């Protein structure tokens, strides 16, 4: 399988860690979503977005939730990172939903500063994004384990992967939002997760 996108993308990284925890070998193609890479990406995903997972049968999967759905659907029973059904699955999906929303807003905030020409910037919009990110991080902090352990129990599961990817993306791109540390449980969760190669090998450097 080939995974397109860089580790700085919290969505691409979620897929990369998911594959690593499931023991799936993946070839990485760390293309950016701008410049010449953007044209190359559009030849694979007409929207020019990442992540893209190209399967061994040639199929091309886009959108993180849909990619994860396939990874779960085709995993060996012992390798699944989500409960199959019931309240436990609902809980996991909501954890991922919070982390996913925070990641979306955090990516939008980066684009406001890196992509939008200065004269078109709208400070109130950036403040709104920051408020949404902080709100989401607070909700995640309330769900995170107080000390040891993982959201899913004894080993990291899908919720942990999504939490760590969202948190680490903000740490790399807008660390001032985490100062304090404002979210000590999330900071500790990230720290512990990144000691595992499945997480740590893709931890993004400060952008
Ligand atoms: N909903 C998408 C979001 C993916 C996304 O926003 N990826 C960013 C990179 S982190 C991207 O492709 N940005 C370029 C664009 O959206 O035009 C998913 O979950 O896969």
């Amino acid at each position: 399988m080939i995974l397109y996108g860089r580790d700085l993308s919290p969505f691409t990284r979620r897929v990369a860690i998911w594959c690593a925890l499931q023991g799936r070998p993946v070839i990485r193609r760390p293309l950016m979503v701008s410049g010449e890479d953007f044209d190359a990406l559009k030849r694979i995903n007409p929207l020019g977005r990442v992540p893209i997972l190209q399967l061994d049968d040639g199929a091309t999967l886009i959108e993180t939730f849909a990619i994860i759905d396939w990874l779960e659907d085709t995993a060996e029973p012992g390798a699944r990172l989500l409960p199959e059904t019931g309240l436990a699955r609902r809980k996991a999906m909501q954890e991922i939903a919070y982390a996913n929303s925070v990641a979306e807003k955090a990516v939008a905030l980066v684009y406001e500063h890196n992509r939008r020409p200065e004269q078109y910037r709208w400070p109130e919009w950036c403040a709104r994004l920051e408020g949404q990110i902080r709100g989401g991080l607070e909700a995640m902090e309330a769900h995170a384990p107080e000390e040891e352990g993982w959201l899913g129990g004894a080993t990291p599961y899908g919720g942990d992967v999504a939490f760590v990817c969202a948190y680490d993306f903000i740490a790399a791109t807008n660390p001032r939002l985490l100062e304090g540390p404002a979210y000590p449980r999330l900071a500790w969760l990230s720290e512990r997760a990144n000691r595992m190669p499945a997480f740590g090998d893709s931890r993004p450097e400060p952008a």
Side-chain angles (χ1 to χ4, degrees):
M1 292 193 298
I2 304 174
L3 174 60
Y4 291 86
R6 298 185 301 159
D7 289 330
L8 183 61
S9 161
F11 308 102
T12 303
R13 188 173 177 228
R14 195 188 318 157
V15 174
I17 295 173
W18 212 286
C19 289
L21 288 173
Q22 286 190 338
R24 296 177 187 262
V26 175
I27 298 166
R28 299 292 307 271
R29 298 263 193 274
L31 297 192
M32 295 170 64
V33 291
S34 56
E36 284 176 15
D37 282 1
F38 183 53
D39 295 327
L41 277 177
K42 276 197 292 188
R43 287 193 281 276
I44 311 162
N45 168 9
L47 285 99
R49 305 185 86 193
V50 295
I52 306 165
L53 188 66
Q54 221 163 44
L55 307 187
D56 293 340
D57 68 4
T60 294
L61 305 186
I62 65 163
E63 282 293 327
T64 314
F65 271 113
I67 296 172
I68 297 300
D69 179 77
W70 181 83
L71 290 174
E72 285 294 292
D73 188 39
T74 56
E76 301 296 326
R80 293 210 173 104
L81 299 180
L82 290 174
E84 243 175 274
T85 184
L87 277 180
R89 186 175 175 93
R90 188 179 83 183
K91 172 181 174 291
M93 293 308 287
Q94 280 303 298
E95 288 161 358
I96 296 173
Y98 272 111
N100 191 73
S101 290
V102 166
E104 278 178 3
K105 294 295 165 185
V107 168
L109 184 62
V110 168
Y111 290 166
E112 285 297 320
H113 291 282
N114 292 1
R115 297 276 168 82
R116 194 179 295 285
E118 206 167 339
Q119 66 270 30
Y120 298 123
R121 284 192 201 139
W122 183 14
E124 288 83 356
W125 185 253
C126 292
R128 176 191 159 98
L129 290 173
E130 287 191 16
Q132 289 176 300
I133 293 166
R134 289 184 201 278
L137 285 169
E138 273 163 33
M140 288 164 61
E141 176 77 2
H143 283 88
E146 222 168 308
E147 290 175 0
E148 302 301 317
W150 305 95
L151 287 160
T155 53
Y157 83 153
D160 298 284
V161 179
F163 269 38
V164 170
C165 290
Y167 184 88
D168 288 351
F169 177 73
I170 297 167
T173 56
N174 271 299
R176 67 191 167 75
L177 296 179
L178 308 176
E179 273 166 15
Y183 312 99
R185 293 183 190 184
L186 294 177
W188 179 228
L189 183 76
S190 157
E191 209 41 57
R192 283 183 293 123
N194 280 297
R195 287 182 197 153
M196 301 170 63
F199 287 83
D201 286 354
S202 58
R203 189 177 201 170
E205 298 293 324

